[in-house]
Amino acid sequence: MLIVGILLASCSGTKFVSDGQHMLNKVEVKKDEGYPDVNISKYKSYVRQRGNQRWFSALKVPLGIYSLAGRDTTKWLNRTLQSMGEAPVLFDTLKAQQSCNDLAALLRNEGYLGGMVEMYLTPKKKKVVNATYVLHPGVAYVVNHVDYNIQDAAIDSVLRKGRVLGTGALKAGEQFNVSNLDGERKRITEYLVNRGYYRFNKDYITFRADTVAGVPKVDLTLVLHPFPVSRDSIGAHPVYTVRNVNYKSGDPEDDRIPFRTSVLRSNTFITSGQPYSAKDLQTTYNRFGRLQAIKYTNISFVEDEAAKELDCNIQLTANKPHSISFQPEGTNTAGDLGAAASLTYQHRNVFRGSELLSLELRGAYENIKGLEGYSNEDFLEYSVEAKLQFPRFIAPFVPRPFIKSTQSSSELSLMYDLQNRPEYHRRVLSLAWKYKWNYTNHHDRYWIDLLDLNYVFMPWISDTFRHDYLEDDTNRNAILRYNYENLFIMKFGLGWAYNNGTHAIKLAFETAGNLLDLFANSFSVGKKEEGYTKIFDIAYAQYVKADMEYTKYIRFDYDNQLVFHAGLGIAYPYGNSTILPFEKRYFSGGANSVRGWSVRGLGPGRFAGKDGKIDFINQTGDMKLDLNLEYRAQLFWKFTGALFVDAGNIWTLRNYADQPGGQFRFSNILKEMAVAYGLGLRLNFDFFILRFDFGMKAVNPAYKDQGSTHYPIVHPRLSRDLTFHFAVGLPF
């Protein structure tokens, strides 16, 4: 791929450039020295032309593909190559002049009132030029004094009483910036329209700016103009009060509103008898907009100009309440092919409050190869799951300000899963009650798993599996045995996530078994067997677990992005458990971890798997560390490419005999870090992404004493070190 890319990038696109024209090769934006506040990356976005797209900021492969085409567009091949590639970007003098004007205007808007921009063309070769825009900011002007001329006595009193004037970003001594002026207009306007000034807008606010020759200072006066009562008269801005709030159906064939009155009122924040508030209007739109039972919401006001009152009409158009979907799947688990299908029924308004009831039936089949000594080689799974989601907090004593400022949901779920494998039969019964919420116009979200119950029941284990792995004196794997016993998990969890497009953080914490342990010890309930306390003859898991993730996105330009990701997870079994349940243990490798290894193919520590039938148990741990660096570049059409380096591993916190070399030691962490590198290809369809990653092992900690095997980056072998991953969605 790299060789082909270099060859295509070396193709010249100048055969499509006519005499007298020039192909734009590269665009740069520079500035005079001594201006740290001038952000070059921000100014680059104002340049109206840029050179041809470069893969990974280096190779002009799309231009090379276009250059392979001939001039005769009646031929199918030429049209196809031109549509896949990118035509040469021709230097446009008009766009260059407009770019200079835009850059100079931006300099002036940021306080460099005498700023200038020059553009230089540098010939690279025949018919090819580079364009360089040089910013000469000059002296930065600062705000000397801010005065306010409020030509409405009532508004002047409201603003001064609320201490609005002089508390924004517009302050004496700060560098003059037009965006601060506009921000001040928006801030004052927002304050007023949330206090009854229904007809007020920011056009009523203007600024006067006075400068003195030779002095880089600006005197500002904010002018708030009076309300034009008529063409020839002015007066005070009117204050409006909400008189009535009415609900109407948006369906022309049915004027009934399919919602409870209490639900309508709880999602309406426009209050009768209170001053008009634009914030309450937007909050009401947001609340009705997130109800799945509602298709459209339209809120209008009828103005009584004489009484200065508003009648609010909320028109709601309902969605179809029922839906049924069928989803087939094809599966491939380590070469074992199978199929699955699910049937889902949804009711979006089950209690006339936009509650979402979801019932899902799922079945799966897989043909398992390579098993010896078992009566069959088929895997069957059936599950039924019911979920009931409320678009609000279902809890007592929830304060009204919290309800108003957040978007929340409560979810009750119940699931029964039946799994029949050749080695064993497994049943899982789950019950959960969860809360989720986020603050309006914030980048963070929260969740609480208030109650999460899981009962794992093993009704049957084959004699062959029991003899070979669970009861054989020469192979008594404690981790394996623990995960094939009946187990009860009672979990409490909470989490927080933040994502502003540049930084993404996720923190999660959960603990299990504490209430059961307190109950058993306080009331002497249960009995000790094999070192565990059992309630109703079922052992319960007890552990604490914390996960942390951080992702940083660095965008170089529209086509190129660098992403850094770090993840750390730690779980510790205690009290009634010495081993974590299998579902809570960490694994490494796979499409979202260290991509030089397959799923559960890495670790823990220096551990090297030897028994492929049970390594999926042994290659798990109590601690995980992932470090990933990925360079993403737009290629052509829907294709995006990636270069990546991954590092990480898993470890155990206790020393388990069946996982030699797996226990975590801080002094050995660098020696036991696995490293991989590779190439990725993504097919982006906007609503989902298909991902293909080719990962190569670089450092393999499982063979730290074997030179060539420990450092496959020096001695690569494709059959041993290459791993292919197919996945949906980005890795992080």
Side-chain angles (χ1 to χ4, degrees):
M1 290 176 63
L2 186 61
I3 293 174
V4 171
I6 293 174
L7 291 175
L8 287 174
S10 64
C11 296
S12 173
T14 54
K15 72 177 182 179
F16 293 98
V17 179
S18 304
D19 293 337
Q21 294 181 322
H22 292 85
M23 185 176 73
L24 184 60
N25 176 59
K26 185 170 64 172
V27 175
E28 289 185 293
V29 178
K30 298 181 179 180
K31 63 179 179 179
D32 293 342
E33 295 294 332
Y35 293 92
D37 294 334
V38 177
N39 185 358
I40 289 296
S41 60
K42 177 181 178 180
Y43 281 77
K44 285 181 180 179
S45 63
Y46 283 78
V47 177
R48 302 199 176 204
Q49 268 195 308
R50 53 188 179 126
N52 284 95
Q53 178 187 336
R54 298 172 184 261
W55 284 16
F56 306 107
S57 299
L59 306 175
K60 293 185 179 180
V61 176
L63 176 62
I65 295 174
Y66 190 94
S67 300
L68 295 177
R71 294 181 178 273
D72 187 359
T73 56
T74 61
K75 295 183 178 180
W76 171 84
L77 179 60
N78 292 337
R79 294 197 309 271
T80 301
L81 290 173
Q82 290 185 4
S83 64
M84 292 177 58
E86 182 186 27
V89 177
L90 302 178
F91 177 74
D92 188 322
T93 55
L94 179 59
K95 289 184 177 180
Q97 184 59 50
Q98 290 173 333
S99 297
C100 287
N101 295 338
D102 292 343
L103 292 171
L106 182 58
L107 281 174
R108 292 191 291 272
N109 289 343
E110 294 195 337
Y112 301 98
L113 301 186
M116 298 174 56
V117 178
E118 291 183 298
M119 192 271 295
Y120 299 95
L121 285 181
T122 305
K124 186 173 183 284
K125 55 183 179 180
K126 185 179 180 181
K127 295 185 178 182
V128 180
V129 295
N130 292 337
T132 304
Y133 295 87
V134 181
L135 310 180
H136 305 292
V139 179
Y141 279 67
V142 298
V143 176
N144 181 52
H145 178 70
V146 181
D147 196 11
Y148 297 91
N149 181 9
I150 311 299
Q151 299 177 7
D152 185 313
I155 289 183
D156 184 70
S157 177
V158 169
L159 295 178
R160 295 188 186 279
K161 185 177 180 180
R163 298 182 179 180
V164 177
L165 303 179
T167 58
L170 198 61
K171 295 180 180 178
E174 298 289 335
Q175 183 168 325
F176 176 79
N177 195 312
V178 171
S179 63
N180 288 342
L181 305 185
D182 194 52
E184 186 73 355
R185 295 171 71 204
K186 291 179 180 178
R187 189 177 70 90
I188 294 176
T189 300
E190 181 179 343
Y191 187 85
L192 293 174
V193 296
N194 289 328
R195 284 159 178 80
Y197 288 90
Y198 171 69
R199 301 183 66 176
F200 193 89
N201 61 71
K202 69 176 185 176
D203 291 336
Y204 287 110
I205 301 175
T206 60
F207 281 92
R208 289 200 303 263
D210 297 323
T211 60
V212 179
V215 180
K217 294 182 179 181
V218 181
D219 289 329
L220 293 174
T221 301
L222 182 148
V223 181
L224 192 150
H225 300 275
F227 183 74
V229 178
S230 64
R231 181 177 297 180
D232 302 321
S233 64
I234 57 176
H237 288 267
V239 178
Y240 285 83
T241 302
V242 177
R243 182 167 55 191
N244 298 311
V245 178
N246 307 309
Y247 301 95
K248 299 181 179 181
S249 172
D251 188 346
E253 299 179 358
D254 188 355
D255 59 355
R256 294 174 299 175
I257 300 176
F259 303 103
R260 302 193 310 271
T261 303
S262 60
V263 173
L264 296 175
R265 290 175 177 172
S266 65
N267 287 283
T268 302
F269 293 88
I270 302 169
T271 308
S272 178
Q274 295 295 317
Y276 166 82
S277 171
K279 182 179 180 181
D280 290 345
L281 171 63
Q282 187 59 52
T283 303
T284 303
Y285 263 119
N286 292 340
R287 289 308 174 84
F288 281 113
R290 65 184 292 269
L291 300 182
Q292 298 196 44
I294 293 179
K295 188 175 184 180
Y296 301 115
T297 303
N298 181 46
I299 303 175
S300 60
F301 291 92
V302 177
E303 180 183 350
D304 185 338
E305 188 173 351
K308 298 297 184 288
E309 291 181 331
L310 301 171
D311 289 329
C312 175
N313 296 318
I314 301 178
Q315 190 178 64
L316 303 173
T317 304
N319 255 324
K320 293 182 179 180
H322 307 281
S323 67
I324 297 178
S325 62
F326 176 76
Q327 180 176 339
E329 302 173 21
T331 62
N332 183 347
T333 306
D336 296 333
L337 300 179
S342 62
L343 181 67
T344 304
Y345 164 77
Q346 287 188 336
H347 192 312
R348 298 186 179 91
N349 197 24
V350 63
F351 300 130
R352 298 181 67 243
S354 194
E355 300 87 358
L356 177 63
L357 174 64
S358 176
L359 300 174
E360 180 180 314
L361 300 175
R362 187 177 187 275
Y365 168 82
E366 189 173 278
N367 179 257
I368 301 175
K369 298 177 294 184
L371 288 180
E372 298 180 1
Y374 297 92
S375 59
N376 65 75
E377 295 187 353
D378 297 331
F379 167 63
L380 292 173
E381 180 180 12
Y382 303 99
S383 67
V384 55
E385 183 177 17
K387 288 184 181 180
L388 181 59
Q389 187 179 83
F390 301 87
R392 56 193 175 275
F393 255 92
I394 305 297
F397 313 116
V398 180
R400 179 73 174 175
F402 177 81
I403 296 175
K404 184 176 181 179
S405 61
T406 62
Q407 296 181 353
S408 58
S409 65
S410 308
E411 181 181 283
L412 175 66
S413 63
L414 177 65
M415 185 193 71
Y416 179 72
D417 186 60
L418 179 150
Q419 303 171 10
N420 288 347
R421 288 185 59 91
E423 310 98 313
Y424 58 84
H425 291 175
R426 189 170 185 257
R427 311 289 184 259
V428 180
L429 180 63
S430 301
L431 175 67
W433 179 255
K434 303 177 181 180
Y435 295 109
K436 299 177 183 178
W437 73 95
N438 63 277
Y439 289 90
T440 307
N441 299 324
H442 285 223
H443 299 292
D444 42 12
R445 55 188 176 89
Y446 306 82
W447 65 91
I448 293 179
D449 298 339
L450 188 64
L451 182 66
D452 194 334
L453 306 178
N454 291 272
Y455 173 45
V456 182
F457 176 55
M458 307 291 296
W460 176 82
I461 298 177
S462 73
D463 294 335
T464 302
F465 188 78
R466 187 184 300 276
H467 176 269
D468 290 348
Y469 296 108
L470 304 183
E471 297 178 354
D472 186 4
D473 292 335
T474 62
N475 184 25
R476 295 187 62 82
N477 190 313
I479 299 176
L480 192 68
R481 284 201 321 276
Y482 181 76
N483 286 284
Y484 288 92
E485 297 174 351
N486 298 340
L487 187 64
F488 186 61
I489 304 173
M490 183 177 179
K491 184 193 79 170
F492 167 80
L494 51 87
W496 169 74
Y498 173 88
N499 190 340
N500 66 356
T502 301
H503 303 275
I505 306 170
K506 184 178 180 180
L507 303 177
F509 171 83
E510 67 180 69
T511 183
N514 297 321
L515 290 178
L516 291 174
D517 194 62
L518 179 63
F519 176 74
N521 293 331
S522 300
F523 298 98
S524 300
V525 178
K527 56 183 179 179
K528 286 277 187 179
E529 287 186 8
E530 300 178 355
Y532 304 116
T533 299
K534 295 186 177 182
I535 299 178
F536 305 115
D537 202 33
I538 306 171
Y540 56 88
Q542 196 171 7
Y543 65 87
V544 62
K545 183 178 182 182
D547 293 280
M548 295 153 280
E549 288 189 53
Y550 172 74
T551 306
K552 166 74 172 179
Y553 302 90
I554 304 172
R555 182 171 291 280
F556 298 115
D557 53 44
Y558 183 79
D559 296 321
N560 297 275
Q561 184 184 49
L562 183 67
V563 184
F564 168 75
H565 171 262
L568 174 65
I570 301 176
Y572 184 71
Y574 65 95
N576 204 47
S577 299
T578 57
I579 300 170
L580 282 173
F582 178 74
E583 291 82 358
K584 302 301 177 181
R585 296 178 68 83
Y586 295 102
F587 62 87
S588 193
N592 298 85
S593 184
V594 186
R595 283 166 280 186
W597 281 260
S598 58
V599 177
R600 293 187 176 89
L602 172 61
R606 302 188 307 274
F607 176 81
K610 298 178 182 179
D611 188 341
K613 297 179 182 179
I614 61 170
D615 280 340
F616 73 97
I617 286 284
N618 286 332
Q619 297 201 268
T620 58
D622 310 320
M623 175 180 173
K624 180 178 181 179
L625 176 63
D626 272 333
L627 299 172
N628 312 89
L629 189 66
E630 182 168 287
Y631 190 103
R632 299 169 183 170
Q634 176 65 32
L635 302 182
F636 58 89
W637 191 52
K638 300 289 185 179
F639 287 99
T640 302
L643 301 172
F644 59 83
V645 177
D646 300 329
N649 206 334
I650 56 172
W651 293 269
T652 62
L653 298 182
R654 299 173 185 261
N655 187 17
Y656 298 110
D658 301 294
Q659 296 174 302
Q663 188 177 19
F664 176 75
R665 292 282 186 272
F666 189 80
S667 59
N668 293 333
I669 187 171
L670 293 180
K671 301 176 184 177
E672 296 175 356
M673 287 286 284
V675 181
Y677 61 97
L679 286 168
L681 184 66
R682 290 90 167 91
L683 191 54
N684 189 344
F685 292 104
D686 296 329
F687 50 92
F688 74 96
I689 296 175
L690 296 180
R691 175 160 56 95
F692 309 90
D693 285 334
F694 298 84
M696 283 286 291
K697 297 178 179 66
V699 180
N700 191 341
Y703 305 100
K704 75 179 189 67
D705 299 324
Q706 304 176 30
S708 61
T709 311
H710 180 51
Y711 294 105
I713 189 172
V714 181
H715 304 279
R717 188 192 306 166
L718 292 181
S719 60
R720 178 194 65 192
D721 303 323
L722 178 64
T723 306
F724 170 72
H725 301 283
F726 168 71
V728 177
L730 295 174
F732 39 82

